[in-house]
Amino acid sequence: QVHLGESGGGLVQAGDSLRLSCVVSTSTFSLTRLSMAWFRQAPGKEREFLASLERGNGEAHYADSMMGRFTISRDNAKSTMYLEINSLKPEDSAVYYCAADPIYKQIDHNSHAIDYWGQGTQVTVSS
C-alpha cells in the first residue's frame, strides 16, 4: 500500500521559484523499489508528463520541454520526492501530481496504469 501527498503549490508570481513536495507513505515498498514521476494538468488540457526518477538507481529523466527549468529529486530519509521549478511562467499554472509505480523501471509520457497517484497541488502563476 502506497499513499502519496503533494504540497507546496499556491499562488506565485511569474519569475519566482517553487518547490513541490510529494511525501511517500508506504509499509510495502522501500522508496528505491518505486519509480516516481511528476505530471501536471491544466484546465482543458491533457495530463502532461514532466519528470521521473527510475526505480532503483533514481536516475532523473525529463520531458524535453521541462529541461532547464525543472529539477526532480528525492530525499530517501524523508521519503519525499521534490520538483523544483525555476522562472515560473503563467503557462506553468496547473494541478501538479506525483505518481509512483513498483513495476515501471522508468515512467514517461507513454506510461499507463500507474498504480499510485497523489491528490494534486494547485500552482497558479500570475503575470
Side-chain angles (χ1 to χ4, degrees), residues 36-39 49-53 61-63 66 72 83 107:
M36 301 187 68
W38 285 98
F39 293 82
F49 167 77
L50 303 175
S52 65
L53 296 171
H61 300 272
Y62 298 91
M66 303 298 115
I72 187 171
L83 182 69
I107 297 172

Side-chain angles (χ1 to χ4, degrees), residues 6-12 18 20 38-43 85 88 90-97 119-125:
E6 304 96 334
S7 64
L11 178 62
V12 297
L18 192 65
L20 307 179
W38 285 98
F39 293 82
R40 70 183 180 187
Q41 187 168 24
I85 313 171
L88 281 157
E91 54 262 41
D92 293 322
S93 297
V95 178
Y96 285 71
Y97 299 92
Q119 293 291 323
T121 183
Q122 176 72 52
V123 174
T124 303
V125 184

Side-chain angles (χ1 to χ4, degrees), residues 72-116:
I72 187 171
S73 62
R74 185 175 66 194
D75 187 333
N76 291 335
K78 296 182 178 180
S79 297
T80 302
M81 180 179 66
Y82 303 98
L83 182 69
E84 183 177 352
I85 313 171
N86 298 315
S87 301
L88 281 157
K89 304 175 181 179
E91 54 262 41
D92 293 322
S93 297
V95 178
Y96 285 71
Y97 299 92
C98 64
D101 193 274
I103 302 301
Y104 282 112
K105 176 64 174 179
Q106 175 188 333
I107 297 172
D108 60 26
H109 63 281
N110 291 320
S111 300
H112 58 87
I114 296 170
D115 281 358
Y116 305 105

Side-chain angles (χ1 to χ4, degrees), residues 10-80:
L11 178 62
V12 297
Q13 295 183 353
D16 287 351
S17 296
L18 192 65
R19 189 175 74 169
L20 307 179
S21 300
C22 174
V23 177
V24 183
S25 300
T26 176
S27 59
T28 306
F29 304 102
S30 64
L31 213 61
T32 57
R33 288 186 175 271
L34 296 169
S35 59
M36 301 187 68
W38 285 98
F39 293 82
R40 70 183 180 187
Q41 187 168 24
K45 296 184 178 180
E46 296 292 325
R47 186 179 63 195
E48 180 184 18
F49 167 77
L50 303 175
S52 65
L53 296 171
E54 286 189 13
R55 189 185 75 245
N57 292 335
E59 183 176 344
H61 300 272
Y62 298 91
D64 290 342
S65 61
M66 303 298 115
M67 294 186 68
R69 292 198 301 119
F70 287 65
T71 303
I72 187 171
S73 62
R74 185 175 66 194
D75 187 333
N76 291 335
K78 296 182 178 180
S79 297
T80 302

